[in-house]
Amino acid sequence: MKLDFIKTFGGKIIFCLAACAGLTVGVVLAVAWMVGSVERYLRDSGYRSVLLGPDGLRPEAKIFFLAVAAVLTFSVSFYLMLRESIRYIHLLADKVRDISEGDLDHPVEVRGSDEFAAMAADLNAMQKNVKRLMEKERIAEHTKNDLVSSVAHDLRTPLTSIIGYLGWVRTRKDLDAATREKYLEIAYSKALRLEQLTNELFGFVKLEHNEMTLRLGKLDLIQLMEQMLDEMTPSFVQNDLTVKFRHEKETMLIEADGDLLARLFANLLNNAVKYGKEGKQIRVEVEQSGFYAVTKVINYGHVIPRNEQEAIFRKFYRAEQSRSRDTGGTGLGLAIAEQIVELHHGEIRVKSDLQGTVFEVELPMRQGEKEEIS
């Protein structure tokens, strides 16, 4: 019997008890009438037995028959009325066991609107959450493996070179001073690369675990970008790149952490050099848009496929075309850039097509007081 019109299981129990009690009373009265009719018929026909005497059935026999009828009627009717709920409880118990055994792909049917229906909905939600957490754990495990593989490769390459060059210089006693100096300089440059990779990894860990705090101060974004471009001039020259810097204002004061912004734009410029060298040009543009300072770093190298543009800021992600020793790194540069921007309550976007690849950084001019900026 469907009792979905009753909203709680307690209400169903009360309804069933009342209905079964009424049915039982009716059945007991019917049985009493039938027993009385049979009793009168047997007595009038002269039948006598241990139970049936000249005055009719013994009282205890009548009570026994009526009690049996009452118990059977109440029990059977109560079971039949709650049979669907009992089956549903068993279904929920089976689903809990299935979840405990790892079956997270089959949701349980939600029936009615009582507590067990709510339990079924909660089980389905829990199943989804557990499945999502397991998927996140799987991705985290995959990411950890990527980290180990990436760090092992990226740190081993310069370390192997350092050991090789220093070992060769150490064993060759006949080297002249110029040759010795040349190979020591190579080993030193490899050691600097190793230090850069290590600092990048430690910096990312600090940002990832919110251990990095902003040291806010007033800084001139135009001056910062000019300084960054000057420092990277040797890299531009080495890769035969020309740089154009366009800015609307001579100065643009913003409230930010200068060291973190320097790391942010260094990562974007290094990225532009790595993947934009074929385009022969890098453009940097700074402008103000309302309460925000907008900086664009544009290169004209490889086009980033649309399906990779959403994933390019993911940690340890590298576009397929960049999986080479020439452009290799930890795959953390853009992830660190995104974290620094988020730490400043800004936004970073990328757009890539045949017109160029644009990394756009939008930073509030003043932290926490954007509504007061005119």
Side-chain angles (χ1 to χ4, degrees), residues 182-321:
K182 172 186 174 182
Y183 287 114
L184 286 177
E185 184 64 29
I186 293 175
Y188 178 70
S189 66
K190 297 292 183 181
L192 290 179
R193 172 61 179 161
L194 188 62
E195 181 186 39
Q196 178 187 353
L197 291 172
T198 305
N199 289 338
E200 193 172 73
L201 287 168
F202 278 118
F204 175 79
V205 170
K206 285 185 176 181
L207 287 169
E208 182 80 354
H209 292 85
N210 297 319
E211 295 176 3
M212 192 75 72
T213 56
L214 289 177
R215 294 183 175 88
L216 295 176
K218 288 288 185 181
L219 62 91
D220 185 353
L221 184 59
I222 305 298
Q223 182 180 7
L224 174 64
M225 292 307 303
E226 289 177 340
Q227 180 181 343
M228 298 296 302
L229 293 174
D230 285 341
E231 291 177 358
M232 291 198 63
T233 296
S235 179
F236 298 145
V237 173
Q238 181 181 354
N239 290 280
D240 195 23
L241 284 164
T242 60
V243 179
K244 293 186 177 181
F245 182 31
R246 185 183 70 82
H247 46 93
E248 297 176 339
K249 302 179 179 180
E250 291 303 315
T251 62
M252 187 177 295
L253 295 178
I254 67 171
E255 187 179 18
D257 187 315
D259 292 335
L260 289 183
L261 286 197
R263 181 185 296 183
L264 160 66
F265 292 118
N267 286 350
L268 293 182
L269 290 170
N270 279 319
N271 187 75
V273 171
K274 286 180 181 180
Y275 307 125
K277 60 182 67 175
E278 294 181 3
K280 302 301 181 184
Q281 185 185 97
I282 291 175
R283 285 172 49 210
V284 178
E285 300 177 357
V286 178
E287 60 186 20
Q288 183 174 348
S289 176
F291 300 144
Y292 293 90
V294 180
T295 305
K296 298 178 182 178
V297 179
I298 308 166
N299 72 76
Y300 299 92
H302 290 288
V303 174
I304 303 172
R306 184 176 298 274
N307 64 331
E308 293 185 356
Q309 291 179 24
E310 294 183 0
I312 199 168
F313 294 103
R314 195 170 65 217
K315 53 190 176 184
F316 310 118
Y317 179 85
R318 302 185 209 179
E320 197 64 34
Q321 66 194 23

Side-chain angles (χ1 to χ4, degrees), residues 88 92 110-125:
Y88 195 47
L92 294 179
V110 179
R111 301 176 186 172
S113 57
D114 61 6
E115 296 89 341
F116 293 110
M119 184 184 300
D122 291 340
L123 277 176
N124 290 336

